[in-house]
Amino acid sequence: MGGQESTGWFNSVVAYDAEDTRRRIFAAATAEFAEYGLAGARVDRIATAARANKQAIYLYYGGKEKLFAAILRAKLEEVRACVLIDPDAVAESVGQLFDWYQQHPELIRLLLWEALEGQDEPDESDRERRDAFREKARYLVDGGVARRRPEAERVRAAQDMMFTIMGLIAWNFAVPRMCRMILDEESEQAALARRRDTVVEAARALAADAGLRSRAAD
Protein backbone atom coordinates (compact mmCIF):
# COMPACT_ATOMS: atom_id res chain seq x y z
CA MET A 1 0.00 0.00 0.00
CA GLY A 2 2.76 2.37 0.97
CA GLY A 3 4.56 1.65 -2.30
CA GLN A 4 1.49 2.57 -4.33
CA GLU A 5 1.08 5.84 -2.43
CA SER A 6 4.74 6.68 -3.01
CA THR A 7 4.43 5.94 -6.71
CA GLY A 8 1.30 8.08 -6.99
CA TRP A 9 3.01 10.98 -5.21
CA PHE A 10 6.06 10.66 -7.45
CA ASN A 11 3.96 10.61 -10.62
CA SER A 12 2.01 13.70 -9.54
CA VAL A 13 5.23 15.59 -8.81
CA VAL A 14 6.69 14.61 -12.18
CA ALA A 15 3.48 15.63 -13.99
CA TYR A 16 3.41 19.00 -12.21
CA ASP A 17 7.08 19.63 -12.98
CA ALA A 18 6.53 18.79 -16.65
CA GLU A 19 3.59 21.20 -16.88
CA ASP A 20 5.56 23.90 -15.10
CA THR A 21 8.44 23.38 -17.53
CA ARG A 22 6.04 23.69 -20.46
CA ARG A 23 4.73 26.98 -19.08
CA ARG A 24 8.23 28.37 -18.59
CA ILE A 25 9.24 27.37 -22.11
CA PHE A 26 6.06 28.90 -23.53
CA ALA A 27 6.62 32.23 -21.72
CA ALA A 28 10.30 32.41 -22.63
CA ALA A 29 9.65 31.49 -26.26
CA THR A 30 6.87 34.08 -26.56
CA ALA A 31 9.28 36.83 -25.51
CA GLU A 32 12.06 35.46 -27.74
CA PHE A 33 9.89 35.19 -30.86
CA ALA A 34 8.31 38.59 -30.30
CA GLU A 35 11.79 40.14 -30.10
CA TYR A 36 13.65 38.21 -32.81
CA GLY A 37 11.07 36.45 -34.98
CA LEU A 38 11.24 32.83 -36.04
CA ALA A 39 14.53 33.05 -37.96
CA GLY A 40 16.33 35.12 -35.34
CA ALA A 41 15.10 33.24 -32.28
CA ARG A 42 17.56 30.84 -30.64
CA VAL A 43 16.57 27.65 -28.87
CA ASP A 44 19.49 27.96 -26.45
CA ARG A 45 18.31 31.42 -25.35
CA ILE A 46 14.78 30.10 -24.86
CA ALA A 47 16.11 27.19 -22.81
CA THR A 48 18.22 29.49 -20.64
CA ALA A 49 15.37 31.93 -20.00
CA ALA A 50 13.00 29.04 -19.24
CA ARG A 51 15.50 27.33 -16.93
CA ALA A 52 15.08 24.19 -19.02
CA ASN A 53 17.27 22.16 -21.35
CA LYS A 54 16.97 22.25 -25.12
CA GLN A 55 15.90 18.62 -25.20
CA ALA A 56 12.75 19.54 -23.25
CA ILE A 57 11.79 22.05 -25.95
CA TYR A 58 12.05 19.42 -28.67
CA LEU A 59 10.30 16.86 -26.47
CA TYR A 60 7.30 19.05 -25.64
CA TYR A 61 6.98 21.11 -28.83
CA GLY A 62 8.89 19.29 -31.56
CA GLY A 63 11.20 22.12 -32.57
CA LYS A 64 11.39 25.87 -33.08
CA GLU A 65 8.91 26.11 -35.96
CA LYS A 66 6.25 24.08 -34.17
CA LEU A 67 6.83 26.04 -30.98
CA PHE A 68 6.28 29.33 -32.84
CA ALA A 69 3.09 27.98 -34.40
CA ALA A 70 1.83 26.73 -31.02
CA ILE A 71 2.44 30.12 -29.40
CA LEU A 72 0.72 32.06 -32.16
CA ARG A 73 -2.23 29.67 -32.12
CA ALA A 74 -2.55 29.96 -28.33
CA LYS A 75 -2.36 33.77 -28.40
CA LEU A 76 -5.02 34.03 -31.08
CA GLU A 77 -7.22 31.63 -29.15
CA GLU A 78 -6.67 33.73 -26.04
CA VAL A 79 -7.88 36.92 -27.67
CA ARG A 80 -10.76 35.04 -29.32
CA ALA A 81 -11.88 33.71 -25.95
CA CYS A 82 -11.42 37.01 -24.13
CA VAL A 83 -13.16 39.38 -26.52
CA LEU A 84 -16.01 38.78 -28.95
CA ILE A 85 -17.45 41.55 -31.12
CA ASP A 86 -21.01 41.84 -29.86
CA PRO A 87 -23.39 42.83 -32.67
CA ASP A 88 -25.45 44.78 -30.11
CA ALA A 89 -22.40 46.62 -28.74
CA VAL A 90 -19.79 46.80 -31.47
CA ALA A 91 -18.06 49.97 -30.29
CA GLU A 92 -17.82 48.74 -26.72
CA SER A 93 -16.45 45.38 -27.86
CA VAL A 94 -13.85 47.14 -29.99
CA GLY A 95 -12.79 49.22 -26.99
CA GLN A 96 -12.24 46.01 -25.02
CA LEU A 97 -10.30 44.51 -27.91
CA PHE A 98 -8.11 47.63 -28.11
CA ASP A 99 -7.38 47.30 -24.40
CA TRP A 100 -6.49 43.63 -24.81
CA TYR A 101 -3.97 44.39 -27.55
CA GLN A 102 -2.48 47.19 -25.45
CA GLN A 103 -1.99 44.76 -22.58
CA HIS A 104 -0.57 42.04 -24.88
CA PRO A 105 1.67 43.84 -27.42
CA GLU A 106 3.50 40.60 -28.18
CA LEU A 107 0.64 39.36 -30.38
CA ILE A 108 1.08 42.11 -32.98
CA ARG A 109 4.83 41.49 -33.08
CA LEU A 110 4.27 37.76 -33.54
CA LEU A 111 1.79 38.36 -36.36
CA LEU A 112 4.20 40.76 -38.07
CA TRP A 113 7.02 38.23 -37.84
CA GLU A 114 4.71 35.56 -39.22
CA ALA A 115 3.87 37.80 -42.18
CA LEU A 116 7.56 38.45 -42.85
CA GLU A 117 8.79 34.91 -42.40
CA GLY A 118 5.75 32.69 -42.86
CA GLN A 119 5.45 30.01 -45.49
CA ASP A 120 3.12 30.46 -48.46
CA GLU A 121 1.71 26.95 -48.16
CA PRO A 122 -1.34 26.75 -45.84
CA ASP A 123 -1.06 24.47 -42.85
CA GLU A 124 -3.38 23.16 -40.15
CA SER A 125 -3.08 26.42 -38.23
CA ASP A 126 -4.35 28.36 -41.26
CA ARG A 127 -7.38 26.12 -41.52
CA GLU A 128 -8.13 26.48 -37.81
CA ARG A 129 -7.93 30.26 -37.98
CA ARG A 130 -10.05 30.42 -41.11
CA ASP A 131 -12.73 28.34 -39.39
CA ALA A 132 -12.60 30.59 -36.32
CA PHE A 133 -13.03 33.72 -38.44
CA ARG A 134 -15.94 32.10 -40.27
CA GLU A 135 -17.61 31.57 -36.90
CA LYS A 136 -17.06 35.22 -36.00
CA ALA A 137 -18.49 36.38 -39.31
CA ARG A 138 -21.52 34.13 -38.83
CA TYR A 139 -22.04 35.58 -35.35
CA LEU A 140 -22.14 39.09 -36.81
CA VAL A 141 -24.47 38.02 -39.62
CA ASP A 142 -26.82 36.39 -37.13
CA GLY A 143 -26.64 39.61 -35.12
CA GLY A 144 -28.02 41.61 -38.04
CA VAL A 145 -25.13 42.81 -40.22
CA ALA A 146 -26.46 44.12 -43.55
CA ARG A 147 -29.76 42.40 -42.85
CA ARG A 148 -31.46 43.66 -46.03
CA ARG A 149 -28.83 42.23 -48.38
CA PRO A 150 -28.62 38.69 -49.82
CA GLU A 151 -26.96 36.12 -47.56
CA ALA A 152 -23.64 35.97 -49.42
CA GLU A 153 -23.33 39.76 -49.33
CA ARG A 154 -24.08 39.77 -45.62
CA VAL A 155 -21.25 37.35 -44.97
CA ARG A 156 -18.85 39.46 -47.02
CA ALA A 157 -19.99 42.59 -45.20
CA ALA A 158 -19.28 40.93 -41.84
CA GLN A 159 -15.85 39.77 -43.03
CA ASP A 160 -14.95 43.24 -44.32
CA MET A 161 -16.15 44.81 -41.10
CA MET A 162 -14.01 42.44 -39.00
CA PHE A 163 -10.87 43.04 -41.01
CA THR A 164 -11.38 46.81 -41.02
CA ILE A 165 -11.74 46.79 -37.24
CA MET A 166 -8.64 44.63 -36.87
CA GLY A 167 -6.68 47.09 -38.98
CA LEU A 168 -7.97 50.09 -37.02
CA ILE A 169 -6.72 48.47 -33.82
CA ALA A 170 -3.55 46.67 -34.85
CA TRP A 171 -1.81 49.49 -36.70
CA ASN A 172 -1.59 51.53 -33.48
CA PHE A 173 0.57 48.84 -31.89
CA ALA A 174 2.48 47.89 -35.03
CA VAL A 175 3.90 51.43 -35.43
CA PRO A 176 3.61 53.12 -32.01
CA ARG A 177 6.36 55.64 -32.74
CA MET A 178 4.68 56.82 -35.94
CA CYS A 179 1.40 57.02 -34.04
CA ARG A 180 2.98 59.27 -31.43
CA MET A 181 4.64 61.51 -34.02
CA ILE A 182 1.60 61.96 -36.26
CA LEU A 183 -0.62 62.75 -33.28
CA ASP A 184 2.12 65.06 -31.94
CA GLU A 185 1.83 63.61 -28.43
CA GLU A 186 4.65 63.54 -25.90
CA SER A 187 4.02 59.99 -24.72
CA GLU A 188 2.85 56.71 -26.18
CA GLN A 189 0.17 56.49 -23.49
CA ALA A 190 -1.35 59.82 -24.53
CA ALA A 191 -1.30 58.85 -28.19
CA LEU A 192 -2.94 55.49 -27.53
CA ALA A 193 -5.62 57.08 -25.35
CA ARG A 194 -6.54 59.36 -28.25
CA ARG A 195 -6.45 56.51 -30.70
CA ARG A 196 -8.68 54.35 -28.51
CA ASP A 197 -11.38 57.03 -28.50
CA THR A 198 -11.06 57.47 -32.26
CA VAL A 199 -11.16 53.73 -32.99
CA VAL A 200 -14.22 53.24 -30.78
CA GLU A 201 -16.07 56.04 -32.57
CA ALA A 202 -15.03 54.66 -35.96
CA ALA A 203 -16.38 51.25 -34.92
CA ARG A 204 -19.61 52.91 -33.84
CA ALA A 205 -19.94 54.45 -37.31
CA LEU A 206 -19.15 51.13 -38.99
CA ALA A 207 -21.78 49.41 -36.87
CA ALA A 208 -24.40 52.00 -37.79
CA ASP A 209 -23.53 51.71 -41.47
CA ALA A 210 -23.89 47.93 -41.23
CA GLY A 211 -27.29 48.27 -39.61
CA LEU A 212 -26.16 47.33 -36.11
CA ARG A 213 -26.94 49.05 -32.88
CA SER A 214 -24.41 50.28 -30.34
CA ARG A 215 -24.87 51.36 -26.78
CA ALA A 216 -24.20 54.87 -25.63
CA ALA A 217 -20.55 55.89 -25.44
CA ASP A 218 -18.79 54.86 -22.21
Side-chain angles (χ1 to χ4, degrees):
M1 187 72 174
Q4 291 178 344
E5 291 178 354
S6 298
T7 300
W9 174 84
F10 177 78
N11 289 339
S12 65
V13 170
V14 170
Y16 173 79
D17 183 67
E19 187 58 35
D20 187 54
T21 301
R22 281 177 179 269
R23 283 195 294 268
R24 294 200 310 271
I25 291 172
F26 189 91
T30 298
E32 178 77 8
F33 287 131
E35 182 68 22
Y36 299 105
L38 177 58
R42 294 292 178 264
V43 173
D44 55 350
R45 282 199 300 254
I46 295 172
T48 298
R51 305 189 311 280
N53 58 55
K54 292 197 294 185
Q55 287 73 22
I57 294 174
Y58 291 103
L59 173 64
Y60 295 137
Y61 292 101
K64 190 170 71 167
E65 290 77 11
K66 290 184 178 179
L67 177 55
F68 181 86
I71 288 171
L72 192 55
R73 185 165 54 249
K75 287 294 178 181
L76 289 169
E77 174 60 24
E78 187 178 340
V79 67
R80 186 196 68 80
C82 288
V83 181
L84 183 67
I85 299 178
D86 184 350
D88 292 326
V90 172
E92 293 71 22
S93 300
V94 168
Q96 294 171 12
L97 194 55
F98 190 102
D99 294 340
W100 193 96
Y101 274 94
Q102 188 168 3
Q103 293 161 12
H104 301 83
E106 70 279 1
L107 177 56
I108 292 298
R109 295 181 66 89
L110 290 168
L111 288 171
L112 289 173
W113 280 118
E114 182 196 37
L116 288 169
E117 304 176 332
Q119 301 296 320
D120 291 334
E121 291 298 322
D123 58 15
E124 185 62 32
S125 176
D126 290 337
R127 287 187 287 272
E128 290 174 359
R129 275 192 264 176
R130 187 183 290 268
D131 288 342
F133 286 128
R134 282 172 177 157
E135 289 181 12
K136 287 177 180 290
R138 171 48 54 187
Y139 184 65
L140 288 171
V141 169
D142 292 344
V145 164
R147 67 178 75 245
R148 293 183 176 85
R149 300 184 192 176
E151 177 70 10
E153 290 186 18
R154 296 185 66 198
V155 172
R156 287 196 290 271
Q159 293 165 338
D160 286 335
M161 181 178 174
M162 277 196 305
F163 195 74
T164 299
I165 287 172
M166 290 169 65
L168 284 170
I169 295 171
W171 195 239
N172 299 286
F173 305 105
V175 289
R177 185 179 181 186
M178 183 182 293
C179 175
R180 188 174 68 249
M181 289 190 295
I182 290 177
L183 270 58
D184 197 19
E185 292 286 357
E186 293 299 323
S187 70
E188 184 176 315
Q189 290 74 17
L192 288 177
R194 275 182 62 185
R195 287 300 303 154
R196 185 189 190 279
D197 290 343
T198 301
V199 168
V200 167
E201 287 309 310
R204 201 182 305 280
L206 283 171
D209 185 62
L212 298 175
R213 295 168 295 167
S214 191
R215 297 171 193 152
D218 48 13

